[in-house]
Amino acid sequence: MRSLLYVLALLCCGSLSAQVSVQFLPAKPIPGQPITVVVNGDSIGLPPQDSQVAVVYLLEMDQVPVAQEIKLVRNGIYHTGNFTTQPGTLAVAIGFPTRLYIKDADPHTYLYGNDSRPLPGARRTWGQAAQRYGNLWAKEMSIAESQQLALEDMALHKAYLKATYPQYYLFTLTLSDKPEDRAQLQQEIDRLIDNPVTPESDLDYIKYLYTRIKQPQRKAGVDSVILARYPTGKVYRFYRVAAFWNEEENPEKMEVLYGQLLKDLPPVTPADSIDFDRYCNGLSAAWLAKDSIAKAEWYAHRIRDNRQRAVMYHDIAEKLAGENIHGKPINVSLSEKYVQEAMALQQALLNNTNGKPAYLTEAGWKHQLHNTYLAYTRTYALLLYHRKQYQQAYDWQEKTMSVFSYTTTPYEAFAVYSEKVKGAVATQPFLEQCVRTGKASPAMKAALKKTYLLKHTEQQWDGYYNGLKTELLARLRTKLSQEILQETAPDFTLKDLDGKEVSMSSLKGKVVVLDFWGTWCGPCVASFPAMKMAKEKFKQDPNVVFLFVDAREKGTPQEVNKKVASFLQKNNYPFRVLLDLDDAVVNSFKVPGFPTKYIIDGNGLIRFMEAGFGGSDENLTDQITAMIELAREAGAGSGKRGF
């Protein structure tokens, strides 16, 4: 009650800014002190309800954010809520389940000491969390910004951080270009290496430091020290496990290495057991990719973690069901057995949230589990369709349609089930809506055309379909206009397949489409016909450049170059490919997965980031086209420069 009265008093006297989205009270909270958060609902688009839910993230040094759900109560344009930090908290961020965009770009507060300065480590903790987990509160931070906060932290609290967080202290020294800092770094490293009882984890961290400052020979020397002092330690285990995963395309070899791991490094701790579950999962998936169902089953049965086992049972079921509406089922009865087991395991997980990650609230975790359950029911609906139980297939699929899907697959399946149950004419409105919203596959377009031509001419079809596409493009442009970014693109220099260097800064004035991909990535390869279409669309425009950054290939640089060149030639893709052999550019862009595309304007600012591939060439081409046009417009009207 006291905090509410305090907030009301501030509201009355005008101490709260109506221009700021989020404010924390007191402005400089100390550890253990109750904190009130005040949210300007109008500023961030909160629905006008009496109460809302927000998620507070408590941030500690080198730890996963701890999510805490709080209730916000409305008072005019403001919503207020209260929370208390926990021991170890250095900073706090606030987010919303709907991922609302916080316009003031600062949805956080540090915790402060009695000297009214942020606690030692608070700046670095906030920077690291915003860089790694900023999507949770809809505000990510660049690596450069995060590192700058770490340097500021060290400048203010060098002695304290060295004594309390020694690894963080050494990491921060790698960020500095000062000769005295580099000398101090080497002195500390030498001291740790010379000490015969330095823990393996500290020696392993030295390898990471040498990687950061690009001294591979010294890193290799530390490797030798570790293996000599800890011959069966974590680094030794790492190399054994890496050898196992390097054979993902060769399950026979994986089996041999798995047997050796089980013999030489049997599971002892719960963490070890989780690792061996992952090995069994990997083996099951590898055999499934080779169509060896019996082997896939054998390893899936040995997974003890229910969540991992449910995933693998579902993958087996999906394979046996033909994978999608166009596939031929292999064994419907066996598929049904496994999908029902996967659904039962997932339902049990929903009833017991013990495995919840710290960065999710219980509601958020249950939401994830429920969405996974619905993904499994889509496979069950597919099986019912194969059994010609169309009404049941329709009913099960309908339950899942509220869950967003990036691909067109579930929409296509629902259209087929709907046509079986309701008929083609009754399904037409659903197909029209899918076209308007970019969810229509080529098969859905063909089905819509077939139904339309029952009562209309081919000439009328063109006008009708173009009208639907006009609605789609207008919606797409409106949606993308609301999502436009203004982040500085990291500069880089990479070589193409001919050995010629390309730098980001050399492309100033041009809109750049940067596509991160790999020959090993199925969705990447599937998206390339659409990317070829998009590139062809702009081939006469010298101010639009398409670059394809290949990463995470296996093999030597020469082998990677040959593999990629062969792939392009075989498929007749006229792409300029850059090789990111050490993942340096992948890391600098914080690529969330493959494929991921960045649209960068002529000023070097990232305007759009799009991950994944939805399965429709036409939709992706439309999307890339709209992004390029909007990026060009935004760049022309912006005074900000990235280079």
Side-chain angles (χ1 to χ4, degrees), residues 484-489 508-509 511 600-607 629-643:
I484 198 162
L485 305 172
Q486 190 169 306
E487 300 175 4
T488 300
K508 183 178 180 180
V511 174
I600 303 165
D601 73 14
N603 299 318
L605 299 177
I606 296 172
R607 292 302 184 173
E629 292 171 349
L630 286 167
R632 198 197 310 263
E633 293 169 15
S638 173
K640 183 175 178 181
R641 296 290 184 268
F643 300 122

Side-chain angles (χ1 to χ4, degrees), residues 40-80:
N40 183 330
D42 289 354
S43 176
I44 65 172
L46 274 177
Q49 299 171 358
D50 289 339
S51 65
Q52 295 287 339
V53 172
V55 182
V56 167
Y57 297 93
L58 308 182
L59 310 177
E60 300 181 25
M61 177 75 75
D62 294 327
Q63 299 295 318
V64 172
V66 176
Q68 189 179 108
E69 193 171 276
I70 64 170
K71 182 179 179 180
L72 300 179
V73 179
R74 184 178 177 85
N75 188 314
I77 67 170
Y78 296 100
H79 287 75
T80 62

